[in-house]
Amino acid sequence: MPDIAKTERRIVGFLCNWCSYGGADTAGVARANQPTDLRIIRVPCSGRVNPLFVVRALLHGADGVLVSGCHPRDCHYSTGNFYARRRLELLKHFLPILGIDPARFAYTWVSASEGQRWQHVVTRFTEEIHALEPAPHFEELEPLYLSQRQSTEPKRPFMPQPPDLLAKLKEEIRTHLPELDCVLGWQKGRDALHAVPFFLRQEEDLERLSLDATCHNSLVRYLPEYKGKKVGIIVRGCESRALVELLQEGLIAREDLHIFAIPCHGLLDVARLEEELGRYQHLENLVIEQDSLRITVDGKERSFSPQAFLRSTCLGCASDEPVLADTCLGSFTAGESTPVTAPELALLDGLNLTERLRFWRGVMDRCIRCYSCRNSCPMCVCHDHCIAESRQPHWQSAEHSVTEKFFFQIIHALHLAGRCTGCGECQTNCPVGIPIFALRAHLNRVIAELFSGYQAGRDAQAVPPLLSYMVDEANIQEREWQ
Ligand code: FES
């Protein structure tokens, strides 16, 4: 942004064409005194304001952003502002985890005849922005490096898969394979520590099927590509929720699926184990037991505690019961589903706003924009049309800047708001270990607070909260502008 007079701040206003823009005009015609800091962008409706517009402005130097539309029930398109209210309220709760002061953002309603109200709102908001420090320049902040692990006890102790589970699973798949085009499972990858997705098509493939605590890739991610085909899939409790979410969004059809549900007592964080092992040439043996994890690399056996290497997303898991299943194998644990705070999020919760922004400044520098987080996410379904790579509209540049990398993660997180089932695949597959799951975990927490405990993937008939609205929102307190 260009330099402006020192007495002014950079404030961006998104005003709906039919009401608030008219209100600002009415104030102007009436010669009402107003601060000159606001730069107005006229939009057809407040429902047109993507929360990403606001974040992008704030990340690129705006000191404040104001969104204003028609009063509820007065929207020219009848419901645009009801949807906007949910999104913008969510955004207000999201900004602090990024390290951005939520006081830099406000939304309100002003009608075309309310010139006086417009004058009041814009004056109050500008005064508040002046009372804050000028917005920090993200790129110029000193990075804050912190250890990302915290010791959190798992809700359920780790246990390896029962020895007969794989044999039972193979038997079931053998029975159903003739009526299916393909069954999605896992096989060993380059060594015993690295499992990879496996697409079984014939009985001989069953020999290669693998099943242990290293099989972490969410197979649900591949389902939309098989739309219209009969597919079998092996899922654990958390993965069945992603499956429900895809059903909710109409991306797969229930009648085309055969779901083999298996119990789960925790998955291993392979990336952290690799880090601990350091460089090695050959991994010769891997033994997973309840209390010990023995790995032989280059002729040397190393022993670890599996509890200490559980994936952070498994720590708060209280139940492995699948939401949907056609064939259930083994016994499942039912449990109360109150989520625990993921360690990455607990770390951020303990920081102030400036420290959070400095933390993101430090970790985002490592991002190589490989898009593994997006490509492994079962809910990222836009594939070739991802706005991160789109040139029309051109949402973000391919420039190697920490702001653009951070913005990409914000795009991903906000696109998952109300849809993320918390599988943590994004973070597990990040080759440089950025704790991006914290952004999703925080949004899930806010969604539950704002929308009566809503959790994605629990009910295939439920309408996702950002695709619906209530005329009188129970948990949204709109600002009064006294
Ligand atoms: Fe003004 Fe929809 S037209 S908010």
Side-chain angles (χ1 to χ4, degrees), residues 191-192 281-286 295-300:
D191 59 35
Q281 293 287 320
H282 300 290
L283 189 146
E284 286 125 27
N285 197 22
L286 168 73
I295 307 175
T296 310
V297 282
D298 298 336
K300 232 171 50 188

Side-chain angles (χ1 to χ4, degrees), residues 400-418:
H400 184 67
S401 83
V402 70
T403 309
E404 291 298 288
K405 295 170 186 178
F406 192 26
F407 188 60
F408 167 71
Q409 289 303 338
I410 294 168
I411 293 176
H412 193 187
L414 280 172
H415 277 193
L416 291 172

Side-chain angles (χ1 to χ4, degrees), residues 36-57:
T36 54
D37 309 48
L38 192 77
R39 303 290 180 271
I40 293 176
I41 298 172
R42 181 153 56 152
V43 290
C45 171
S46 61
R48 174 67 183 88
V49 180
N50 189 323
L52 289 168
F53 293 169
V54 178
V55 183
R56 187 150 183 95

Side-chain angles (χ1 to χ4, degrees), residues 187-213:
Q187 65 175 335
K188 284 294 166 209
R190 65 174 192 265
D191 59 35
L193 197 54
H194 297 89
V196 292
F198 181 37
F199 306 90
L200 291 98
R201 291 196 169 83
Q202 47 204 5
E203 214 175 302
E204 299 80 79
D205 292 341
L206 282 167
E207 283 313 304
R208 284 153 62 196
L209 186 69
S210 169
L211 188 65
D212 63 23

Side-chain angles (χ1 to χ4, degrees), residues 205-246:
D205 292 341
L206 282 167
E207 283 313 304
R208 284 153 62 196
L209 186 69
S210 169
L211 188 65
D212 63 23
T214 63
C215 298
H216 67 82
N217 303 82
S218 173
L219 305 170
V220 179
R221 184 246 169 278
Y222 299 96
L223 279 181
E225 292 163 25
Y226 281 87
K227 195 170 181 186
K229 298 219 164 107
K230 297 276 178 209
V231 181
I233 182 166
I234 306 168
V235 296
R236 290 164 283 226
C238 55
E239 291 152 356
S240 76
R241 296 200 287 278
L243 205 145
V244 168
E245 193 61 31
L246 291 182

